[in-house]
Amino acid sequence: MKQTIIVFVQDEPGVLNRISRHFYRLNYNIESITAGRSEAMGVTRITIVCNHSDQYNQSLIKTQLEELNTVLNVQDITSVPSIVREYALIKVQTQKEEKDKLSELIKNYSAKIIDSGELISIIETTGEMEEVESLIKSIKQFKILEIMRSGNMAMVRVDQDEHRIEIEEIDKKKGWATQQISDALS
Amino acid sequence: MKKQKLTGAEIIWECLIKEGVDVVFGYPGGAILPTYDALNNYREKIHHVLVRHEQGATHMADGYARVSGNVGVAMATSGPGATNMITGLATAMMDSSPIVCITGQVPTAVIGSDAFQEVDITGVAIPVTKHCYLVMDVEELADTIREAFYVARSGRPGPVLVDIPKDIQNAETEFIYSEKEINLPGYQPTVDIQDDDIKEFAKMVNEAKKPVILAGHGILLSEASKETLELAEKASIPIATTLLGIGGVPDSHPLVLGMMGMHGETWVNNAIQNADLLIACGMRFDDRVTGNLKTYSPNSKKIHIDIDPSEINKNIKVDLAIQGDLGNVLRHVNPFINSAKKTEWFNIISGWNKESQQRDVLNIKTDALLGAQAIRKIWEGTKGNALIITDVGQHQMLEAQYYEHDDPRTLLTSGGLGTMGFSLPAAIGASFYEKDRDIWVIVGDGSFQMMLMELATAVQEGVNINIAIINNGYLGMVRQWQQMFYDARYAETPISSPDFLKLAEAYGINGYRVKSLDEIIPAMNKANKITGPTLIEFIVEEHDMVYPMVPAGANLNDMIQRPLFNENGQYKKKEKVL
Ligand SMILES: Cc1cc2nc3c(=O)[nH]c(=O)nc-3n(C[C@H](O)[C@H](O)[C@H](O)COP(=O)(O)OP(=O)(O)OC[C@H]3O[C@@H](n4cnc5c(N)ncnc54)[C@H](O)[C@@H]3O)c2cc1C
Ligand SMILES: Cc1ncc(C[n+]2csc(CCOP(=O)(O)OP(=O)(O)O)c2C)c(N)n1
Ligand SMILES: [Mg+2]
């Protein structure tokens, strides 16, 4: 089955290493993993989409991750109505005369060209995974040079507030990257 | 007033003293030199035991932890010193034993450069530790060590590794040992108990006709022997123990059936398979306990009390799960348990028990000494009162079957990892805590040779342990599998040994050899008179097997039984088993 999990972790070196081995150990395939700083200082929020046979019960990965000291909270949102979105960059090469056709085509999607040269353009898009897939499919008529996809990010819907998790800020000393980022910005 | 500054190395020892540590098992080397240098100032408070292999140090810390319930401490240098600890960490991890391992690391400036004796030990150790730390700042050293001890001992205990680069050991700072309560954002070892769960628990127990308590290692870790017995006695519930649960409840208690699982007794496994309620108390349904999961105790409701939520519904789906400390949960539930007698259920169980007696090894007459008989004699010779540390193999299972333990923490054995070589070092470690009981190591000829270098440590420290080598000339447990499942093709299981008496002599200790039942007690008496380590070699029947046995993955009630024998104590059929 496919499972979507949100993991809140302390922002410190090695934390991904500690988490990812549990997926490997259970023979879960990570389809996508996306991480970034959260609303709480020192806390990184990760969305993981994984695939697995039904050998283990669904909550096992959650309880195993929760056991880790560096993990603050784990939420399995597989069946919680949520906004799940992906961001993608696609580098395409077209013939000169095809450029308009490309612009026309992507109008059907929430996508835009954010960089373009004589023949090559970079398209930026966001959407559900299926929309991104469909965009890529339709651009295939041109020459796709590169694709970079963020993988899914998820947030439970507004009307699901009981599923929202409040994360407390943690000791500033412990926030490693976020501390450096905010130091750099301030 | 300005506080005096200490070096990182001094801070390490100060922290250990604050944590109540009085013995450390370790081995020096380049990256831990500053810490060993500082040891000289702490000799009155901390005794350091020089081991002969860092794996030995971890098992010693583990043995110390298992017998005392306190955190055991091991120390090693970077690189090979640290990697030698991995087996010991994994052993402690599997069996929830609280140890802290301190390793030296190359200086921070060269970490990541493949410096001499550099290994990313925290990277290697993540899967085999409860948590591990790399200290990159001397300001964080004291807090980290304090946290390490807290994590090791709280909740479900386990091993923790603290890796400390050499320059951090040399750096100076003020030593402050915080007294504040530790609060780690990602770690909540205690939980509240829900009233509803307690009511449901009591209801299920009160309604059950054929209940069985599955007593696991959690009873020892939670020190819940009294509460478990109270539950059992009130509602008249038979108790089956896991290997690591042995001693949690007295084997001589009429409600205690014995060990369950792969080498559990017939009546114990039958009771589990035929039960209408299983109450799992601090045990994790290991596959050696359940056999085939699909057919495991098919008609029972199941209650699981475990402090670790990731154990609940992992292997066995249960009807009621209570996360919490076992003793605490039972203290809540016991007042709601009705007194009851379950005569019918006990009659059924004792029927199975009677049937099994006809196959009991102790009633067989043979010229050779059987491992089981040897161990039963050790039980007699120690009046069932010793601290026993076993290794891994047939002798380990025979000990579990034939040595009755009436007190908690009197059997130390590597269950989850089954680490050969565990017993001798674990016994040395335990001897630093256990001063009242005789200490007996029961070890196979194969297992003894896996860590026998620690004999030198035992001699150097003059520890009072008796080593019983059960010599069957084989890696017996593996040979048993070859015999049963590989048509007796013995691939690399016959194993030779040195002359153990000469070995004893070389180490300067007394050694004895026994070949028959009546030589055992006299040899034990001799050994007991001697202070310091002694060794007794038991020459036992080579081809004996451990029965009953549930083949791996088979149904728990499909046990291979010991063949029946006749009134002369001879097997009825010529079997290849003897
Ligand atoms: C050769 C060999 C043969 C074996 N054969 C058998 C066999 O026949 N039968 C057998 O039983 N074992 C056998 N074993 C051992 C087996 O592999 C397991 O190690 C053993 O069954 C585990 O027992 P346990 O679940 O009680 O302990 P552990 O594995 O230590 O688990 C303890 C459980 O208690 C929980 N716990 C800890 N503290 C608390 C607390 N305070 N409150 C509540 N819960 C707590 C933990 O979270 C954990 O789930 C064998 C091992 C070897 C090497
Ligand atoms: C380190 C390690 N290597 C291999 C094994 C596999 N193994 C399990 S029992 C056993 C044989 C043990 O032999 P011995 O110590 O002589 O005990 P016996 O079974 O003969 O009583 C082996 C090799 C193990 N458990 N641990
Ligand atoms: Mg042997």
Side-chain angles (χ1 to χ4, degrees):
Chain A
M1 72 172 289
K2 192 164 172 162
Q3 229 173 314
T4 304
I5 298 163
I6 299 176
V7 189
F8 297 91
V9 299
Q10 282 180 34
D11 172 17
E12 63 176 32
V15 65
L16 260 188
N17 194 4
R18 293 184 201 267
I19 295 181
S20 62
R21 77 169 197 92
H22 283 276
F23 291 87
Y24 173 53
R25 199 162 88 106
L26 300 174
N27 200 18
Y28 286 13
N29 180 38
I30 295 184
E31 200 174 281
S32 78
I33 177 164
T34 312
R37 57 185 288 204
S38 68
E39 68 279 11
M41 180 67 150
V43 178
T44 299
R45 173 172 171 147
I46 310 178
T47 306
I48 300 173
V49 182
C50 63
N51 262 307
H52 53 87
S53 66
D54 295 331
Q55 187 187 349
Y56 300 102
N57 73 57
Q58 192 182 331
S59 61
L60 187 60
I61 187 69
K62 176 172 146 66
T63 52
Q64 290 197 346
L65 292 178
E66 272 169 347
E67 199 130 290
L68 301 173
N69 290 16
T70 33
V71 171
L72 305 169
N73 215 315
V74 184
Q75 191 179 19
D76 183 346
I77 57 148
T78 311
S79 47
V80 180
S82 304
I83 300 292
V84 182
R85 290 290 181 275
E86 194 180 14
Y87 177 87
L89 295 170
I90 306 159
K91 196 178 271 176
V92 210
Q93 183 174 345
T94 56
Q95 304 296 329
K96 249 198 188 124
E97 61 278 14
E98 286 173 334
K99 280 195 96 168
D100 288 346
K101 192 174 165 197
L102 177 67
S103 311
E104 204 47 43
L105 191 153
I106 66 169
K107 275 191 191 150
N108 301 326
Y109 299 88
S110 52
K112 59 182 178 201
I113 293 173
I114 55 168
D115 187 28
S116 84
E118 204 180 335
L119 301 177
I120 300 176
S121 320
I122 294 179
I123 300 166
E124 175 195 71
T125 185
T126 55
E128 288 178 21
M129 204 188 231
E130 294 72 25
E131 295 173 64
V132 176
E133 280 298 328
S134 149
L135 172 64
I136 291 171
K137 231 187 218 159
S138 63
I139 311 180
K140 272 212 172 121
Q141 53 183 293
F142 314 108
K143 190 172 180 195
I144 297 183
L145 298 177
E146 284 180 51
I147 297 179
M148 175 69 228
R149 297 170 68 163
S150 68
N152 277 336
M153 299 194 254
M155 194 171 271
V156 299
R157 282 187 172 278
V158 173
D159 60 5
Q160 303 290 321
D161 209 45
E162 72 272 20
H163 291 291
R164 187 164 57 86
I165 290 188
E166 280 192 41
I167 294 290
E168 275 175 45
E169 253 182 37
I170 59 175
D171 186 356
K172 287 217 175 105
K173 260 200 337 219
K174 297 241 160 96
W176 199 79
T178 47
Q179 184 65 44
Q180 321 232 324
I181 293 170
S182 64
D183 282 355
L185 294 179
S186 63
Chain B
M1 195 183 77
K2 205 163 157 15
K3 277 222 176 139
Q4 193 198 344
K5 288 199 168 177
L6 297 186
T7 65
E10 289 165 330
I11 289 175
I12 293 172
W13 295 113
E14 293 282 348
C15 291
L16 295 183
I17 291 164
K18 289 269 187 212
E19 290 296 335
V21 175
D22 55 14
V23 58
V24 169
F25 308 95
Y27 206 79
I32 193 83
L33 263 174
T35 302
Y36 272 88
D37 187 46
L39 169 62
N40 287 320
N41 305 332
Y42 295 93
R43 295 254 184 221
E44 303 104 71
K45 293 204 174 122
I46 291 198
H47 178 63
H48 181 274
V49 176
L50 178 67
V51 302
R52 295 299 184 272
H53 188 298
E54 291 87 350
Q55 182 183 338
T58 53
H59 293 326
M60 288 179 207
D62 189 344
Y64 180 89
R66 289 184 200 225
V67 76
S68 66
N70 303 331
V71 179
V73 181
M75 190 175 275
T77 190
S78 67
T83 54
N84 272 349
M85 289 182 139
I86 295 299
T87 303
L89 287 166
T91 305
M93 181 72 174
M94 276 295 220
D95 291 349
S96 302
S97 183
I99 66 173
V100 168
C101 290
I102 292 177
T103 50
Q105 180 57 283
V106 300
T108 49
V110 295
I111 287 181
S113 72
D114 298 321
F116 178 63
Q117 295 198 325
E118 178 185 3
V119 165
D120 167 17
I121 197 64
T122 45
V124 176
I126 284 175
V128 293
T129 50
K130 186 171 170 189
H131 200 59
C132 51
Y133 303 86
L134 169 62
V135 183
M136 293 293 276
D137 183 351
V138 72
E139 305 295 335
E140 289 175 6
L141 181 58
D143 278 352
T144 305
I145 294 178
R146 194 167 87 99
E147 198 176 302
F149 274 84
Y150 169 72
V151 169
R153 79 164 86 80
S154 57
R156 178 178 182 173
V160 177
L161 181 135
V162 187
D163 196 25
I164 309 172
K166 195 172 182 178
D167 54 321
I168 305 291
Q169 297 167 45
N170 285 325
E172 291 190 354
T173 188
E174 231 176 73
F175 172 60
I176 303 164
Y177 208 67
S178 166
E179 305 279 318
K180 273 193 293 189
E181 203 183 309
I182 296 185
N183 186 7
L184 304 176
Y187 182 69
Q188 266 96 35
T190 49
V191 277
D192 297 332
I193 293 166
Q194 308 297 324
D195 279 350
D196 289 353
D197 287 346
I198 294 297
K199 296 225 173 77
E200 179 64 20
F201 187 160
K203 183 162 166 263
M204 287 168 82
V205 172
N206 291 335
E207 283 170 0
K209 301 256 173 321
K210 299 192 286 179
V212 176
I213 290 176
L214 308 178
H217 193 197
I219 295 196
L220 304 173
L221 295 170
S222 164
E223 305 196 334
S225 303
K226 200 176 113 243
E227 290 82 354
T228 309
L229 275 182
E230 188 185 334
L231 170 68
E233 284 168 357
K234 240 178 152 178
S236 226
I237 310 175
I239 306 178
T241 63
T242 66
L243 176 65
L244 296 183
I246 289 176
V249 285
D251 271 330
S252 60
H253 192 286
L255 288 174
V256 176
L257 302 178
M259 185 173 77
M260 64 178 100
M262 179 175 275
H263 293 294
E265 298 294 353
T266 332
W267 63 90
V268 188
N269 287 343
N270 279 342
I272 292 169
Q273 287 303 83
N274 291 282
D276 66 356
L277 176 69
L278 295 183
I279 309 162
C281 298
M283 55 81 75
R284 62 181 172 87
F285 293 106
D286 183 272
D287 49 272
R288 295 240 148 162
V289 159
T290 59
N292 184 353
L293 289 172
K294 292 206 178 75
T295 56
Y296 182 70
S297 190
N299 302 318
S300 62
K301 290 207 165 139
K302 298 173 185 77
I303 302 175
H304 194 179
I305 311 153
D306 203 294
I307 201 161
D308 178 354
S310 80
E311 288 299 345
I312 287 167
N313 290 325
K314 184 177 82 176
N315 297 334
I316 294 284
K317 197 132 180 42
V318 296
D319 301 275
L320 174 65
I322 303 186
Q323 190 206 337
D325 174 66
L326 178 65
N328 191 23
V329 172
L330 293 182
R331 277 190 291 279
H332 278 77
V333 81
N334 281 342
F336 299 101
I337 302 295
N338 302 338
S339 292
K341 288 260 168 303
K342 299 191 173 66
T343 323
E344 214 176 307
W345 182 217
F346 281 96
N347 285 341
I348 299 173
I349 296 174
S350 56
W352 290 320
N353 187 317
K354 275 209 194 80
E355 211 264 338
S356 305
Q357 297 307 325
Q358 314 165 37
R359 301 167 186 270
D360 191 334
V361 188
L362 298 183
N363 303 328
I364 295 177
K365 297 199 181 72
T366 79
D367 293 332
L369 178 61
L370 299 181
Q373 296 170 328
I375 281 160
R376 191 65 177 178
K377 267 281 181 260
I378 297 179
W379 173 74
E380 271 176 46
T382 55
K383 305 193 175 59
N385 245 329
L387 166 63
I388 305 282
I389 301 95
T390 63
D391 223 285
V392 175
Q394 291 184 316
H395 63 281
Q396 177 188 31
M397 291 298 109
L398 294 172
E399 197 282 347
Q401 294 175 340
Y402 288 98
Y403 196 106
E404 291 176 23
H405 292 265
D406 279 347
D407 295 312
R409 303 187 189 275
T410 56
L411 168 61
L412 316 183
T413 194
S414 166
L417 201 66
T419 308
M420 280 173 72
F422 173 81
S423 63
L424 175 59
I428 295 172
S431 74
F432 282 89
Y433 180 84
E434 180 59 75
K435 302 291 178 198
D436 301 333
R437 293 175 193 274
D438 289 346
I439 303 179
W440 283 82
V441 173
I442 296 181
V443 58
D445 45 336
S447 299
F448 184 65
Q449 291 183 72
M450 210 167 254
M451 281 254 96
L452 74 75
M453 74 289 269
E454 296 304 345
L455 204 46
T457 312
V459 172
Q460 175 178 305
E461 294 291 332
V463 296
N464 272 322
I465 58 173
N466 303 303
I467 303 163
I469 303 177
I470 309 298
N471 188 351
N472 55 7
Y474 278 98
L475 299 173
M477 184 54 92
V478 182
R479 199 220 71 235
Q480 169 162 349
W481 285 53
Q482 290 174 336
Q483 192 161 328
M484 284 178 160
F485 313 117
Y486 294 88
D487 282 335
R489 289 186 299 276
Y490 296 167
E492 303 301 321
T493 44
I495 186 167
S496 67
S497 292
D499 180 328
F500 287 122
L501 297 191
K502 285 199 176 135
L503 186 83
E505 200 188 324
Y507 278 93
I509 64 173
N510 283 54
Y512 312 92
R513 180 176 288 137
V514 298
K515 294 183 172 163
S516 66
L517 262 187
D518 31 311
E519 290 172 302
I520 295 178
I521 300 277
M524 288 177 71
N525 288 340
K526 277 189 226 157
N528 267 336
K529 287 208 187 82
I530 291 164
T531 32
T534 63
L535 181 156
I536 305 181
E537 179 187 18
F538 293 69
I539 307 289
V540 300
E541 165 58 41
E542 289 189 342
H543 290 94
D544 199 13
M545 309 271 254
V546 181
Y547 293 107
M549 177 171 186
V550 182
N555 306 331
L556 193 57
N557 45 336
D558 290 342
M559 286 158 276
I560 304 175
Q561 298 267 24
R562 180 171 282 276
L564 283 164
F565 47 89
N566 61 25
E567 53 288 353
N568 301 323
Q570 306 296 319
Y571 284 118
K572 284 184 175 160
K573 231 172 16 180
K574 192 78 191 142
E575 298 266 349
K576 57 178 175 187
V577 288
L578 262 183

